[in-house]
Amino acid sequence: MFVRSSRLIAVGFVVAGASAVRAMVINPTYDAGITGNSAIKNTLDSVVAFYNAAFTDNITIDISFNTIRTAGILGNSSAAIGVTSYSNIHNALIADATSADDVAAIAQIAASPYSEGNMLATKANFRALGLSVANFTSPDCTIGLNTANCFSGTQARCQ
């Protein structure tokens, strides 16, 4: 029995070591107004690539990019919101602590400072904390861009 336990522990270390590489992945979905213009799509793809490389949290985020055509509006965004208990968020923050800064921040928050016990968070926050997103049906975020005002030729710009 002892040998079996030792093997399981050794396997656990190998698996933990193998999964040490972490990366954020943004899955963009574009509407026809964006996919029909390669300059716009290439600009958005480069922004997505930048953020994928800049963050190391092991998370996948679904973002829908849509074209809007409302005069005077450059863009808009919306995020799916969910409700969970403060305790769930607190425990998830503790479980996700990977740095001295994380530990210091957690030391400053109380176990349950709110009597109502529930908090709102975005779907992306739920994902980042490892909380279930099973009750969400929409993408993590929807970003609307007035492509007529913010993109011209091969250069991204806003008027």
Side-chain angles (χ1 to χ4, degrees):
M1 187 69 155
F2 178 72
V3 174
R4 187 175 195 195
S5 298
S6 296
R7 286 184 188 158
L8 290 176
I9 290 170
V11 170
F13 282 123
V14 170
V15 171
S19 65
V21 175
R22 297 170 54 129
M24 181 172 82
V25 176
I26 296 173
N27 287 327
T29 302
Y30 303 120
D31 74 0
I34 293 171
T35 58
N37 185 316
S38 62
I40 294 170
K41 185 176 179 308
N42 291 341
T43 299
L44 293 173
D45 284 343
S46 70
V47 171
V48 166
F50 170 81
Y51 282 102
N52 283 343
F55 291 90
T56 58
D57 285 337
N58 190 19
I59 181 175
T60 300
I61 303 169
D62 299 320
I63 301 177
S64 291
F65 292 91
N66 300 319
T67 304
I68 58 172
R69 301 276 188 223
T70 305
I73 295 177
L74 297 178
N76 59 31
S77 66
S78 63
I81 303 290
V83 178
T84 191
S85 71
Y86 179 86
S87 176
N88 282 345
I89 291 176
H90 186 258
N91 292 336
L93 288 169
I94 291 168
D96 191 53
T98 58
S99 71
D101 289 337
D102 291 344
V103 172
I106 290 167
Q108 300 300 312
I109 58 176
S112 185
Y114 302 104
S115 61
E116 67 275 3
N118 288 324
M119 298 187 71
L120 298 175
T122 66
K123 183 178 180 184
N125 291 142
F126 271 65
R127 282 184 196 269
L129 291 170
L131 300 173
S132 173
V133 294
N135 291 329
F136 290 94
T137 57
S138 60
D140 298 321
C141 178
T142 300
I143 298 174
L145 301 168
N146 190 331
T147 56
N149 288 336
C150 289
F151 295 90
S152 175
T154 60
Q155 298 290 322
R157 66 177 175 82
C158 288
Q159 297 177 354

